[in-house]
Amino acid sequence: MAERSTAAVDVADNSGDEPLAAQAAQATSDGVDTQNGRAADGPMPDKDGERTNPAPAAAPELHSGHKLARRYRLEECVTRVDGFSSWRAMDEKLRRAVGVHLMPADHARARSVLAAARSSALLGDPRFVQVLDAVEENDLVYVVHEWLPDATELTALLASGPLEAHEAYQLVSQVSQAMAAAHREGLAHLRLTPSAILRTSTGQYRIRGLAVNAALRGITSETPQRADTEAIGALLYAALTQRWPYESDAYGLTGLPKGVGLIAPDQVRAGVHRGLGELAMRALANDGATASRQEPACTTPDELAKAVAAMPRIRPPEPAFTAPPEYQHTTYQQGNYGRPTPPGGNTVQSRPVAPPPPPLQSRTGRALKWGVAALLIAALGLGSWQLADTLLERGTQKGNSGTNNNTNTGTDDSGEKKEPTPLTIAGAQEYAPDGKPQNAENVSNTYDGNPATYWRTKSFYDGPEVKIKDGLGIVYDLGSEQEVNGASIALKFGGAHTTLTLYATDSKSPKGSVGSMTKIAGTTTSETALQLTAEKPVKTRYVLVWITAMPHAPLDDFSDPGYKQAITDVKFTG
């Protein structure tokens, strides 16, 4: 029987998402060097790891338009090497671009690729390009992963020159921390090349091909932590110098001169940040070489991450402001337009123009100045008198009544806005309009003050037995009628978007539909911390937290991977 692992929507139908652009950036095509037009997973130095077995099987002969699992439509082949192929595809169910690795099921590495993909998917770290599916079906093995159309390969960034110090610091800091987290879970990369590092439009670095790229190439290592640490050092060296720290040229970068060995970055290029250069040498000194300033070599990503954290923080460069161009006087003179130019005459008038007289120096100008001054003095006097009269009248009224006439509930006596007041939650219960609650016994975990406890939804696999809900939520009892103006909600799973809305309802067990309730606030986010603010406070005792879309989340302690969400903490303000 064919083995399959596909995700299904548990609560919300994502068919309303806008389709992604069909022509996604080549920077996100896994395994393609956009600078050289060849496979970026080219030969690596021997220190990176060694291949365990060659791949005699040929890559499957598929074509654009072929559909896998009646869902993933292949659009463009970006790599065909070593018996496997990589594609840009379209997930027609969720209407988004994805990447797909394909190989025959009888390929010598098919089992190890499936195992590596499933292990990587369980990590669920957003700093890595996520594995979305790993499938064996119809004599094919394929791995589906995220496709980031707004990201750029480090290969493309280095093609235009070395990175400035702050950007190189962000690169080594984010990559070393991510790989340290992966190794704590027993996962290695072994193919950390410039084409495996992506920089998003927000400045975040993401790593693709964790465990999977090495499995596709049949690469293993007896010291995976040292191999990944040295690879990070090579990335930092290349970012500082725009040179590959080995004698061979690779990834569009020129190697070091032959026979001189590994030389410090500041000897390759002037102006290199000294601390970052020493850090690159410590990461590359895994073969027994002496690191700069006699500092010990970094042999694991965790040691490298700690060394980066111990450095003085490198500030981003100040933005450069260009001065506006000076005003240019034109050569056009009034009355000359349309007149013929005499023979031999210059087209530009050389006759000097008499400067205008200083403003307001005539008799009329002086009279105007005195008139304006008199009007300003009269206006200031009248305004001061009216202000004093108003203050005296207000003080008299307040003294007679003993109260302040300011009735604005959103400001205090000084006109400043009041700080939001936390509201107490007296109780809560799950709201499922179809009469099928999913986790009613854990509702109290959302307001017990413990971030480790949570209420969660369920997730399902594809199949005719799955009934998609309109939504799921929790009704909170505030004890008495309160003015609600916002809420802070902590979620367990990030990644793709979560859609969440607050409604005011008439009871703890509302009978009507959500459409009949009063909306307080709502948002769609990919973060795990939400801050909702109402445009206008709503008076109510019962507040419904209603979820209508959820991200694809990994396997947790209670359910399989799928479309699901969990709420760890809810707080309301009034």
Side-chain angles (χ1 to χ4, degrees), residues 395-479:
T396 304
Q397 291 177 356
K398 186 173 180 179
N400 293 336
S401 61
T403 60
N404 193 347
N405 293 327
N406 186 7
T407 59
N408 187 356
T409 59
T411 59
D412 56 15
D413 291 344
S414 63
E416 298 180 354
K417 291 185 177 180
K418 293 182 178 179
E419 291 295 328
T421 303
L423 302 178
T424 303
I425 299 176
Q429 71 179 34
E430 188 173 312
Y431 174 63
D434 59 358
K436 296 179 181 179
Q438 295 194 347
N439 196 9
E441 64 275 8
N442 289 327
V443 168
S444 60
N445 292 341
T446 62
Y447 59 96
D448 59 358
N450 184 2
T453 60
Y454 54 86
W455 166 90
R456 61 171 182 82
T457 67
K458 294 180 180 178
S459 64
F460 301 93
Y461 290 107
D462 274 338
E465 74 281 359
V466 177
K467 177 178 175 62
I468 298 177
K469 293 175 176 290
D470 294 328
L472 191 68
I474 301 176
V475 177
Y476 292 89
D477 182 4
L478 304 180

Side-chain angles (χ1 to χ4, degrees), residues 357-371:
L360 301 181
Q361 293 301 314
S362 63
R363 180 180 301 176
T364 304
R366 288 194 294 271
L368 181 61
K369 284 195 298 183
W370 284 108

Side-chain angles (χ1 to χ4, degrees), residues 80-110:
R80 191 182 297 273
V81 64
D82 268 6
F84 71 90
S85 60
S86 298
W87 295 74
R88 175 173 58 83
M90 177 62 67
D91 182 351
E92 293 187 338
K93 184 172 183 179
L94 297 181
R95 295 200 288 179
R96 63 180 179 182
V98 294
V100 178
H101 298 303
L102 276 166
M103 62 169 46
D106 58 354
H107 195 287
R109 302 174 194 151

Side-chain angles (χ1 to χ4, degrees), residues 156-179:
L157 295 176
L158 295 181
S160 59
L163 304 184
E164 56 92 13
H166 177 263
E167 195 64 34
Y169 172 82
Q170 291 296 324
L171 168 68
V172 68
S173 175
Q174 295 180 33
V175 173
S176 61
Q177 290 177 19
M179 288 310 305

Side-chain angles (χ1 to χ4, degrees), residues 297-424:
C298 297
T299 58
T300 67
D302 188 58
E303 291 179 0
L304 182 57
K306 291 179 180 177
V308 175
M311 288 180 56
R313 186 175 181 87
I314 301 176
R315 296 183 178 274
E318 294 292 335
F321 295 98
T322 57
E326 295 183 359
Y327 176 75
Q328 299 293 330
H329 293 279
T330 64
T331 57
Y332 168 74
Q333 300 297 328
Q334 184 177 3
N336 293 335
Y337 179 77
R339 292 183 181 178
T341 304
N346 192 353
T347 57
V348 179
Q349 289 289 333
S350 59
R351 184 174 55 188
V353 180
L360 301 181
Q361 293 301 314
S362 63
R363 180 180 301 176
T364 304
R366 288 194 294 271
L368 181 61
K369 284 195 298 183
W370 284 108
V372 171
L375 287 175
L376 287 175
I377 294 172
L380 288 174
L382 180 61
S384 301
W385 176 78
Q386 289 180 339
L387 179 61
D389 185 65
T390 302
L391 291 175
L392 289 173
E393 182 179 357
R394 181 176 298 179
T396 304
Q397 291 177 356
K398 186 173 180 179
N400 293 336
S401 61
T403 60
N404 193 347
N405 293 327
N406 186 7
T407 59
N408 187 356
T409 59
T411 59
D412 56 15
D413 291 344
S414 63
E416 298 180 354
K417 291 185 177 180
K418 293 182 178 179
E419 291 295 328
T421 303
L423 302 178
T424 303

